[in-house]
Amino acid sequence: MNVLEAELTYVFGETLPEPGTVMEVAPGILWLRMGLPFALNHVNLWLVEDEVETVNGQVHGWTVIDCGIDNDDTRQNWETIFASHLKGLPIVRVLITHSHPDHVGLADWLCQRWQAPLLATTGEYGFARMMSAALPGLDGMASAPHFARHGLTDALLEKLQGRNVYYQTLVPSVPHSYIRLQDRQTLRMGGRAWEVITGFGHSPEHAALYCAQLGVLISGDMVLPRISTNVSVFAVEPEANPVQQYVDSLQRYLVLPQDTLVLPSHGKPFKGLHQRIKQLTDHHRDRLAEVLAACAVPQSAVDILPVMFHRPLDTHQLGFALGEALAHFHKLWFDGTLQRERGPDNVYRFRQVAQTGTVSHTGHTRT
């Protein structure tokens, strides 16, 4: 346990649900974990005992929150849970917090398997449909020219291009229809009211869920206990400012009680929400200060990687690390403390704004 984790309270200690098993974390809420083939080797999923209105009247069953990636192991673990842990009840709804593969990958399979509807925000549903269809600009090939503009060499670009079907492999299909979730909407689930809290920066329109009656926040990827949530600038939105969006979104959770039980998508359930928000806010403040100091001389996103990441990066991590480096550049650029220049090699570099310069609302320096 690191120093920051020691400031949090892990409610269930080191106890984890084994693959194919569940663990009750609050009345009517089950925790399950599915494996991932990455350095981040698991995702937490949730089952909420529920009752929903259908054309055939009220149906007692379970709402699934997030789904895991589409692979044989995840499907098999789900089948074990269906057979052993649902008390003979059906899945009646499938809800995704956001469109990343570990959350939406098996949504279509689950919806078809149980004839259950999908619930999602429009931003996440639309993005999942576009990514799964590999539309031009959203396929893996789009990342190559984007990252080349920010200093990635041909050899590393080749590795990234080799992952051009990454999303489609993990999310081969997405349901053809959905029920919309909206910010501040009250969703009835398990006989209780849950508030939808949307967040930005990590994904297009992430939905977290808060139940005041239970004192429970299903936080998705917006508030994680051990790692910082990835915030990246990718090819599809090359002028984005996700660090600002993410830090602004975090402030919305400060109105929730400090002793809220946080059920995150990675790591263990914990209490200490306000402390964790402070830690995450401080993390980005410190990274921004490091980046700004390094930009006393012009830096590309590739140049800044050793400043921000003090470990070797595999191919999977490289794209996210570059996206995150660029996100911190953009926050400082939009704030007017960095300016962006394009060199004769067509690579963008960022450097500190001269004290005599004035900055336009677009972040470009005028002298």
Side-chain angles (χ1 to χ4, degrees), residues 108 111-112 118 125 129 173-178:
D108 196 29
C111 289
Q112 292 195 47
L118 176 72
Y125 176 73
R129 287 292 303 271
S173 60
V174 176
H176 290 178
S177 64
Y178 76 112

Side-chain angles (χ1 to χ4, degrees), residues 97-111:
T97 58
H98 63 296
S99 56
H100 293 165
D102 46 335
H103 300 264
V104 72
L106 273 178
D108 196 29
W109 178 74
L110 285 166
C111 289

Side-chain angles (χ1 to χ4, degrees), residues 34-38 40-43 45 66-76 78 100-107 109-110 166-167 169-172:
M34 297 292 184
L36 296 174
F38 318 123
L40 184 59
N41 64 5
H42 72 278
V43 60
L45 315 176
D66 289 334
C67 308
I69 61 172
D70 188 344
N71 67 8
D72 291 341
D73 285 347
T74 309
R75 289 187 187 221
Q76 185 53 57
W78 270 120
H100 293 165
D102 46 335
H103 300 264
V104 72
L106 273 178
W109 178 74
L110 285 166
Y166 160 74
Y167 192 95
T169 299
L170 305 180
V171 190

